[in-house]
């Protein structure tokens, strides 16, 4: 099974989507990494620490395509841009 997907976009650069377990609680997660103005952004979505949680994480990870990766990363970048105004 894949554990990483890398997408490249002309306007926002590289977007890396991975599966992992959270260090503190060992919950399965999907993590998104991207960059904006030299700032690396990482966000993640956690799932229950059960067999069902692992399967749900893997199902959602498998469904992430180029279009969805772009939307997710764009939303993260919009949050970072909001801090530029301060």
């Amino acid at each position: 099974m894949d554990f990483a997907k890398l997408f490249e976009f002309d306007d926002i650069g590289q977007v890396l989507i991975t599966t992992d377990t959270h260090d503190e609680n060992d919950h399965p997660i999907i993590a998104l990494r991207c960059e904006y103005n030299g700032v690396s952004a990482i966000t993640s979505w956690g799932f229950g620490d059960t067999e069902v949680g692992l399967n749900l994480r893997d199902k959602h990870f498998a469904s992430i395509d180029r279009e969805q990766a772009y939307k997710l990363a764009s939303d993260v970048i919009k949050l970072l841009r909001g801090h530029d105004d301060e």
Side-chain angles (χ1 to χ4, degrees):
M1 183 183 111
D2 292 336
F3 65 91
K5 295 180 181 185
L6 180 63
F7 301 94
E8 180 99 24
F9 302 100
D10 291 337
D11 57 343
I12 63 173
Q14 291 184 337
V15 175
L16 178 65
I17 311 283
T18 60
T19 63
D20 206 341
T21 54
H22 190 275
D23 291 338
E24 296 171 12
N25 300 318
D26 286 334
H27 288 149
I29 64 169
I30 295 174
L32 177 143
R33 293 164 178 84
C34 62
E35 190 173 296
Y36 172 71
N37 279 350
V39 175
S40 293
I42 301 172
T43 190
S44 63
W45 298 269
F47 300 86
D49 188 20
T50 63
E51 189 69 30
V52 171
L54 284 167
N55 290 336
L56 192 56
R57 178 208 56 192
D58 294 345
K59 177 182 173 186
H60 284 290
F61 175 77
S63 73
I64 296 174
D65 60 9
R66 182 175 176 80
E67 182 179 330
Q68 189 173 17
Y70 184 85
K71 170 136 180 39
L72 292 168
S74 293
D75 289 345
V76 170
I77 289 170
K78 284 178 190 173
L79 289 172
L80 292 173
R81 283 185 183 146
H83 294 285
D84 285 349
D85 296 336
E86 297 176 359

